[in-house]
Amino acid sequence: MERPLTVAAAQLGPISRDARRQDVITRLVSLLEKAARMECQLVVFPEMALTTFFPRFLTEDESEISGYFETEMPNPSVSPLFETAARLGVGFYLGYCEQVGRGKAVRRYNSAILVDETGHIAGKYRKVHVPGNPQYDPALGLQHLEPWYFLDGDLGFPVFHCLGTRIGMLICNDRRWPEPWRVLGLQGAELVLLGYNSPSQLPDNPRQNAFRTEHHQLPMRAAAYQNGLWVVASAKAGREEGCDMMGGSCIIAPSGEVVAVSSTLGDELLTYTLEPGLAEEYKSFFDMSRYRRPESYGLICDRCGPGEPLTSAEWASKLSPKVSGQPTDPDADS
């Protein structure tokens, strides 16, 4: 049964360090209104869509740090976005900085919410793969201090029913890891929304600069195909506070095909009418319930990083009796 969904990746240009929240919200509302005129039902804003990417700076002033964070959603400063969404009947994904608790109990997360067409929050996700350094490193030409400001997400990888579609959310660096996509796919996700802020160059690893766009798309294209889902990825782009941020906002089909990609480094609306049901064709092709072998994949969860190859005996101890050939029934013939 066809149930088309018109989506938009609402790419943003730079946001300055001293930008007023009101001015940023005005830009988001303008993109939302434009999307509604184009009959979009869902708009995807970037990671940290309300602020500059402040983790490139070391900031120890608590008042300044707190100014980048939202203590509740919605709140008075962002209410125009929620009200516009409800008035127009358009849902959205919004990346923002979330602060929970007070005083010494403060916890901060790089978060995203999914808002339905009535302006109500349908789901929340907190970024799990927080990259960068926990301390300032004067040897680096470009600081990336997300761990200084954010904790790893603690909500897992949930999938939400919204706009007649099973939707998952990821944020930036999450896209480079296969595990989140598989977890979302195993929950039947048909569409994954992802916002990001990614530099165009890596000063500490310049050999990879020529592959930045390729390395951005590659894991998402593979994940879309291997898990049978659509992907909408939206960038914060352009030269922001001395750092060149890559664009490349894109929409990817379950075939792995990039069906739409942005053409600028500024505020831009990238739209596409997708068919969520197409995801089922690829899920059926892989037929995970028939062919996946979780009992053989234990090493994935046992190790964080590369180690020595396992010996035959170590493999035998890790595999279930079904895989190792050992009898599963104590009364079975030897």
Side-chain angles (χ1 to χ4, degrees), residues 13-16 56 200-201 237-246 265:
I15 296 176
S16 66
R56 67 173 62 96
S200 298
Q201 296 88 31
R239 189 165 184 79
E240 184 181 87
E241 296 295 339
C243 179
D244 291 313
M245 309 289 281
M246 67 184 296
L265 293 176

Side-chain angles (χ1 to χ4, degrees), residues 246-291:
M246 67 184 296
S249 298
C250 58
I251 300 171
I252 301 170
S255 62
E257 177 188 8
V258 179
V259 296
V261 65
S262 61
S263 58
T264 74
L265 293 176
D267 291 13
E268 179 180 351
L269 206 61
L270 183 70
T271 66
Y272 189 84
T273 299
L274 56 84
E275 173 49 60
L278 181 61
E280 184 56 37
E281 175 183 329
Y282 285 87
K283 293 182 192 298
S284 297
F285 172 76
F286 277 97
D287 197 356
M288 294 185 190
S289 60
R290 180 180 179 186
Y291 292 114

Side-chain angles (χ1 to χ4, degrees), residues 28 37 56 75 99 141 180 201 214 221 242 244 248 296 306 327:
L28 301 186
R37 292 194 295 271
R56 67 173 62 96
N75 59 59
Q99 180 171 304
Q201 296 88 31
E214 178 72 11
R221 294 182 64 187
D244 291 313
S296 294

Side-chain angles (χ1 to χ4, degrees), residues 195-219:
Y196 62 98
N197 283 231
S198 296
S200 298
Q201 296 88 31
L202 299 173
D204 54 327
N205 201 343
R207 291 178 60 179
Q208 291 191 19
N209 287 347
F211 305 105
R212 290 294 285 160
T213 298
E214 178 72 11
H215 289 169
H216 158 59
Q217 288 187 0
L218 181 64

Side-chain angles (χ1 to χ4, degrees), residues 15-334:
I15 296 176
S16 66
R17 195 172 182 178
D18 59 356
R20 296 191 309 162
R21 192 67 49 86
Q22 177 184 350
D23 294 336
V24 176
I25 294 297
T26 297
R27 288 168 62 183
L28 301 186
V29 168
S30 176
L31 286 167
L32 197 66
E33 291 175 334
K34 181 178 179 181
R37 292 194 295 271
M38 299 174 74
E39 300 185 344
C40 292
Q41 297 151 276
L42 177 63
V43 176
V44 182
F45 293 109
E47 171 191 31
M48 294 192 205
L50 303 178
T51 68
T52 195
F53 189 79
F54 61 88
R56 67 173 62 96
F57 310 110
L58 176 64
T59 304
E60 298 180 283
D61 183 339
E62 274 297 315
S63 62
E64 180 179 350
I65 294 172
S66 294
Y68 293 120
F69 286 80
E70 313 300 319
T71 57
E72 59 180 343
M73 273 291 182
N75 59 59
S77 67
V78 302
S79 60
L81 185 63
F82 283 77
E83 292 165 0
T84 302
R87 174 172 56 84
L88 298 173
V90 178
F92 64 88
Y93 161 112
L94 178 71
Y96 70 104
C97 304
E98 179 189 12
Q99 180 171 304
V100 180
R102 297 181 178 180
K104 294 183 179 180
V106 162
R107 304 186 307 282
R108 293 182 172 121
Y109 300 98
N110 188 339
S111 300
I113 49 173
L114 175 63
V115 177
D116 68 18
E117 70 275 24
T118 69
H120 291 91
I121 295 175
K124 179 191 290 185
Y125 169 70
R126 290 170 175 160
K127 184 176 181 178
V128 169
H129 299 93
V130 178
N133 301 312
Q135 300 290 334
Y136 181 85
D137 185 348
L140 296 178
L142 174 66
Q143 299 296 320
H144 195 114
L145 296 166
E146 280 192 65
W148 173 267
Y149 297 103
F150 300 111
L151 297 172
D152 291 347
D154 59 356
L155 300 179
F157 299 102
V159 171
F160 305 97
H161 292 270
C162 185
L163 295 164
T165 306
R166 293 189 295 274
I167 300 177
M169 294 184 281
L170 296 175
I171 299 175
C172 200
N173 187 45
D174 290 324
R175 72 191 186 274
R176 306 187 189 280
W177 302 87
E179 293 88 353
W181 300 99
R182 181 63 90 204
V183 173
L184 292 173
L186 288 172
Q187 297 172 82
E190 299 167 298
L191 171 62
V192 175
L193 314 178
L194 183 147
Y196 62 98
N197 283 231
S198 296
S200 298
Q201 296 88 31
L202 299 173
D204 54 327
N205 201 343
R207 291 178 60 179
Q208 291 191 19
N209 287 347
F211 305 105
R212 290 294 285 160
T213 298
E214 178 72 11
H215 289 169
H216 158 59
Q217 288 187 0
L218 181 64
M220 295 192 294
R221 294 182 64 187
Y225 171 64
Q226 292 174 336
N227 297 283
L229 43 81
W230 292 87
V231 181
V232 180
S234 186
K236 173 106 70 57
R239 189 165 184 79
E240 184 181 87
E241 296 295 339
C243 179
D244 291 313
M245 309 289 281
M246 67 184 296
S249 298
C250 58
I251 300 171
I252 301 170
S255 62
E257 177 188 8
V258 179
V259 296
V261 65
S262 61
S263 58
T264 74
L265 293 176
D267 291 13
E268 179 180 351
L269 206 61
L270 183 70
T271 66
Y272 189 84
T273 299
L274 56 84
E275 173 49 60
L278 181 61
E280 184 56 37
E281 175 183 329
Y282 285 87
K283 293 182 192 298
S284 297
F285 172 76
F286 277 97
D287 197 356
M288 294 185 190
S289 60
R290 180 180 179 186
Y291 292 114
R292 283 192 80 245
R293 298 292 182 264
E295 63 271 15
S296 294
Y297 310 150
L299 190 63
I300 291 175
C301 291
D302 290 346
R303 285 187 182 177
C304 269
E308 289 297 313
L310 297 184
T311 65
S312 297
E314 288 171 329
W315 268 116
S317 69
K318 282 186 174 295
L319 299 178
S320 73
K322 176 181 176 181
V323 178
S324 63
Q326 300 171 28
T328 56
D329 183 347
D331 295 326
D333 294 336
S334 60

